Amino acid sequence: MIFACCPFLAFTLLSYFPCSFLCCYFSLIRPSSSFSLSFFPLPAACLRVSPDRSQFFRYDTITISCEDPLNSTGWRVKRKTLEGGIRSCSSGWGSTSTDSTCIIGNIYPSDSGVYWCESEDGEQSNGVNITITDRTVILESPALPVSEGTALTLLCKAETNSPDHVFTFYKDDHRIGSSSTGSLTIHSVSKSDEGLYKCSVSGGEESRPSWLAVEGFSSSSAPPAASCSVSVLSIMCHLLVGTPYLLSTILLGLIYRDRRRAQTVAKRRGSNDVIMEIVI
């Protein structure tokens, strides 16, 4: 949607649409240099996993929280597993430190599944796949999509450390490198790095595979995958929605103040005229 040299129309339109579902993004289109405003759907809240990875050993502890900069309450962590189906936190699994934070201790492979945040109105955040393995090796990769251009380090971790370990990394079942430290660094992530990763330890097992998602954002492409990295845009959009109301309130306040001053001055002048007539 394009508003050529008409930002006020954009503000008016924003005022009529809830920004929890809109992402505002501006671009200059050459050669006409017209002003464009595009809208993309965004999750209303963002799910965070701590530690930030998608694979865990048995008996680890995970903290899952729902983050919404404009509404920190009203969100609950839910999950879908093969054995338990769809359930909210504290309903047979996990414990809540707050309404929007769930702590899972002594996790087990049966806790593997998809986790997300859900509001009382049924709004849902991004979903995250979490795998709890009974293997002796895990691949530590981000639970959420990674932005293009950022640096990323994948870690291959064994339950039992040994100085003789050699760690090998694979992408889409193709060997991409080895390391004695268990780390593999991608200095500038690109869309071509997206894929299924796993690792192995010499003389040991392979980890389970994990999908690495890469998101990019450009004016000529589709909107990025819904993830927490777009929360800044969501905040900007809320600010854009609030700006017209804030400016209107300030303007009305100034008008009211000036009218009050004018009425006060008029009353004073009227009283002075009466006094002068009495004196005469």
Side-chain angles (χ1 to χ4, degrees):
M1 190 175 294
I2 299 176
F3 300 92
C5 302
C6 190
F8 292 104
L9 182 58
F11 284 125
T12 303
L13 182 61
L14 281 171
S15 302
Y16 286 97
F17 289 91
C19 201
S20 297
F21 305 98
L22 295 177
C23 165
C24 306
Y25 133 68
F26 303 91
S27 64
L28 289 176
I29 302 175
R30 303 295 181 182
S32 62
S33 297
S34 59
F35 182 83
S36 68
L37 177 64
S38 301
F39 301 94
F40 301 127
L42 281 181
C46 183
L47 181 139
R48 294 283 187 183
V49 180
S50 180
D52 181 17
R53 61 178 191 257
S54 58
Q55 290 188 21
F56 296 86
F57 288 119
R58 281 184 301 179
Y59 312 126
D60 280 347
T61 298
I62 309 175
T63 300
I64 302 176
S65 58
C66 304
E67 296 183 0
D68 184 348
L70 297 167
N71 180 20
S72 59
T73 61
W75 294 93
R76 292 185 64 84
V77 177
K78 301 186 77 171
R79 77 178 187 182
K80 182 179 182 180
T81 61
L82 289 175
E83 296 183 8
I86 299 177
R87 289 186 179 181
S88 299
C89 183
S90 296
S91 59
W93 66 275
S95 60
T96 54
S97 58
T98 64
D99 288 341
S100 57
T101 301
C102 184
I103 300 173
I104 317 170
N106 296 319
I107 55 177
Y108 204 71
S110 58
D111 292 308
S112 299
V114 180
Y115 290 73
W116 69 92
C117 299
E118 190 166 313
S119 70
E120 296 175 353
D121 298 329
E123 296 177 79
Q124 295 182 353
S125 72
N126 56 305
V128 173
N129 282 291
I130 294 178
T131 302
I132 292 87
T133 179
D134 52 5
R135 300 185 182 184
T136 59
V137 182
I138 63 170
L139 175 68
E140 294 189 356
S141 60
L144 298 171
V146 180
S147 298
E148 281 188 301
T150 59
L152 171 66
T153 298
L154 301 176
L155 297 176
C156 191
K157 187 175 181 181
E159 271 190 314
T160 304
N161 294 322
S162 170
D164 299 325
H165 278 163
V166 176
F167 303 89
T168 304
F169 294 85
Y170 302 86
K171 176 181 179 286
D172 299 328
D173 288 326
H174 297 288
R175 183 179 177 276
I176 57 173
S178 296
S179 168
S180 59
T181 60
S183 64
L184 176 70
T185 300
I186 304 173
H187 296 286
S188 182
V189 175
S190 65
K191 196 67 179 177
S192 62
D193 293 313
E194 190 171 73
L196 202 61
Y197 288 77
K198 64 181 180 180
C199 69
S200 64
V201 179
S202 55
E205 289 185 288
E206 283 187 349
S207 71
R208 293 191 179 276
S210 284
W211 180 262
L212 176 65
V214 179
E215 63 178 14
F217 194 78
S218 65
S219 59
S220 59
S221 63
S227 71
C228 293
S229 62
V230 296
S231 59
V232 175
L233 293 175
S234 181
I235 294 173
M236 290 176 61
C237 193
H238 279 282
L239 290 176
L240 287 176
V241 170
T243 299
Y245 296 106
L246 177 61
L247 294 176
S248 299
T249 302
I250 294 174
L251 182 60
L252 290 174
L254 292 174
I255 294 173
Y256 178 76
R257 184 195 63 180
D258 291 340
R259 286 185 176 180
R260 292 283 295 180
R261 285 182 177 177
Q263 291 175 357
T264 302
V265 171
K267 288 181 179 179
R268 288 178 179 176
R269 286 178 177 175
S271 61
N272 289 338
D273 292 341
V274 171
I275 294 174
M276 290 178 65
E277 289 177 2
I278 295 174
V279 172
I280 292 173

